[in-house]
Amino acid sequence: EFRRVLFRSGDVVGSRVQLLLERGAERDLGVGRGDPDDGCLQSAERLLGLAWAGADAKELTRAAAELIKEQHPNGSWSQLPNIPGDAYSTAIAIRALKEASQTIPAKSIEYLTKTQLDDGSWYVRSRAVKLQPYFQSGFPHDHEQWISYVATANATVALLLE
């Protein structure tokens, strides 16, 4: 049984979403973590998928342990294993742990609190190739404003969940 009601019972779209969640949970329960070069985002998304699909506590705990193993000593998580941790990945990991009713490491909350800037935002360096013309949206951090905006939104939600 799903813990999250996405659509009313009998809804054709809701039935399709339910089927996709079941298939995703079966796949996630049957495979390992995936490519070790993917960083924490795959582990966080896997944990979210399992939680939304109603996986049992044992599977959630196992998936959460995989995610926590990827945490850096300073409390952060990183998008890729070879780059420093950032607020974006850390917030996504915290949100996944919370959604799966797992314990959130205190050092991850401390990391977000310490890295928040005086203007209330978090800065995250963009890894995107600069293909689009630059324009200022009004959010701080110039060329890194888009990923920083998403990081700020997710970090705010992560701290509110705590």
Side-chain angles (χ1 to χ4, degrees):
E1 183 178 333
F2 292 95
R3 284 187 256 158
R4 179 173 280 235
V5 177
L6 297 173
F7 298 92
R8 66 184 179 272
S9 179
D11 185 342
V12 173
V13 174
S15 298
R16 178 74 177 137
V17 169
Q18 190 170 9
L19 177 63
L20 291 171
L21 284 171
E22 289 169 355
R23 286 181 183 165
E26 288 171 7
R27 187 199 73 231
D28 282 340
L29 291 172
V31 298
R33 192 193 153 280
D35 188 342
D37 293 333
D38 286 338
C40 88
L41 297 178
Q42 180 179 344
S43 296
E45 290 170 356
R46 179 173 182 270
L47 180 58
L48 281 170
L50 289 168
W52 292 340
D56 65 34
K58 180 181 173 185
E59 291 301 328
L60 292 173
T61 300
R62 186 173 63 119
E66 287 295 318
L67 177 58
I68 290 171
K69 280 196 305 193
E70 298 172 19
Q71 188 176 30
H72 297 289
N74 70 353
S76 70
W77 277 271
S78 56
Q79 296 176 45
L80 297 171
N82 60 345
I83 64 174
D86 60 44
Y88 173 72
S89 297
T90 302
I92 297 295
I94 291 169
R95 293 182 68 187
L97 290 165
K98 186 68 174 183
E99 187 74 28
S101 301
Q102 301 295 307
T103 301
I104 298 169
K107 63 185 177 178
S108 60
I109 300 298
E110 292 170 17
Y111 173 82
L112 288 181
T113 304
K114 288 178 183 177
T115 58
Q116 186 177 22
L117 302 174
D118 290 339
D119 65 5
S121 71
W122 280 265
Y123 170 78
V124 175
R125 183 182 165 129
S126 177
R127 297 184 301 113
V129 176
K130 309 290 191 256
L131 297 175
Q132 297 179 352
Y134 169 76
F135 69 93
Q136 180 52 260
S137 71
F139 196 81
H141 314 303
D142 297 321
H143 290 276
E144 274 80 36
Q145 64 187 309
W146 303 110
I147 186 65
S148 296
Y149 167 77
V150 174
T152 298
N154 278 290
T156 301
V157 170
L159 291 175
L160 289 171
L161 291 173
E162 189 49 19

